[in-house]
Amino acid sequence: MKKVAFYTLGCKLNFSETSTIGRLFTDAGYAVVDFTAGADVYVINTCSVTDHADKKCRKVVKEALKYAPNAYVTIVGCYAQLKPTEIAEIEGVDMVLGAAEKFRIVEFITDLTKNPKAIVHQQSIEKVNHNFIAAYSIGDRTRTFLKVQDGCDYPCTYCTIPLARGGSRSDSIGNVVNRAKQIAASGVKEIVLTGVNLGDFGIRNGQREDKFFDLVKALDEVEGIERIRISSIEPNLLSNEIISFVASSKRFVPHFHIPLQSGSNKILSLMRRRYQRELYTERVATIKALIPNCCIGVDVIVGFPGETHEDFLETYQFLNELDISYLHVFTYSEREQTAAAEMEGVVAGSTRADRNKMLHILSDKKRRAFYQSQLGTVGEVLFEDDQKCGFMHGFTKNYVKVRAKYDPVMVNEIKSVNLVAITADGEVEVTECSQVLAH
């Protein structure tokens, strides 16, 4: 039996797609093995959002060939769509597949002979704009990442995702509900909804047929799934009706991750974001009024062209005063074929790094304050299959990370626990209540 191993860079959407590609190989008679096990085929799923995509790709290829010098190496994902020729020149790469081709990977890998020149199968992103391919992760995590939407129609000036994934398109509500039922039947307790622009769900064949809120209502009726989490949603698409529904939902958890990118209206305009900071403030206030214990995560970019010291301080102060729970901080980096790459006011690399560090410190402060607010309460924790220094971990509905003494019986169980203290490394220690909330 031939062996295949995977490595995924980037977002939850990439993880869902890697898992789906893995099932294609399993159906074709391959055994999926760990990266270090010396596979016959290595599939590296790449990202174009994070820094140094080329450097990371080269490093993973080199590591794969260290474990299996004669392995057949295939590169897929966003970076593969954007830079196929560049990737094909990386030593050790045998095949590069674009966005439309990656789910046909088993068809393309018919011969594992390594050739002097990599084979490239990639077409213009316009040809895949209306083609939605479903994906979900299963069997490798306690929770499942379920892809319901792909692509984006928002022309943010810093972003290459529309170039790498095409225009916004979605699955149907019926298909998503059926897939959620299948996932529930497999024993998974939590589904995380994923997409490039999740709140834009509902476009098929270039036409809007549904709204994200319609999907939320339909999924809330799916029996067998204990929790549904919204991975990330734009503030202009997070409507009050969605917030109100989650507040009284049977399955949707009190956790929103809402990209901000900047607390300066000037910078938001330069980024071509579809809101200003005042709307973001309203969204946070509405959430906290209806769901006081809700966890709110924020994406923010530092060092965007034209961001002065005063602009950054405006962002810092805005975030400091907001009732949010944690930050995902990204340092701006230039991307070819984006409008921002041509803008004036380039921020020095050292300044970008300093601003990143300041916001990471603020994020730690925000997370600790949020965790502190939850001490003394009872949380429902879904425990995961991990073990580190004798402890296992899990998350409450509102995304507080807890740790408990490892017990294999508790894996993939939702237990009622008392949140009692914050550890030195920022996790929450718990004591068990007697009631098991899910089996």
Side-chain angles (χ1 to χ4, degrees), residues 318-337:
F318 181 69
L319 291 167
N320 189 42
E321 293 173 358
L322 270 183
D323 191 1
I324 56 173
S325 312
Y326 64 90
L327 306 173
H328 282 173
V329 186
F330 299 89
T331 300
Y332 170 78
S333 61
E334 288 74 9
R335 294 287 184 270
E336 292 182 26
Q337 303 178 64

Side-chain angles (χ1 to χ4, degrees), residues 47-81:
C47 174
S48 68
V49 174
T50 52
D51 289 343
H52 310 301
D54 175 71
K55 184 178 178 181
K56 290 181 180 179
C57 187
R58 288 177 185 274
K59 185 173 182 180
V60 178
V61 170
K62 187 176 180 180
E63 286 295 305
L65 295 175
K66 184 175 75 174
Y67 294 112
N70 296 315
Y72 195 88
V73 178
T74 302
I75 313 297
V76 302
C78 291
Y79 185 47
Q81 176 65 30

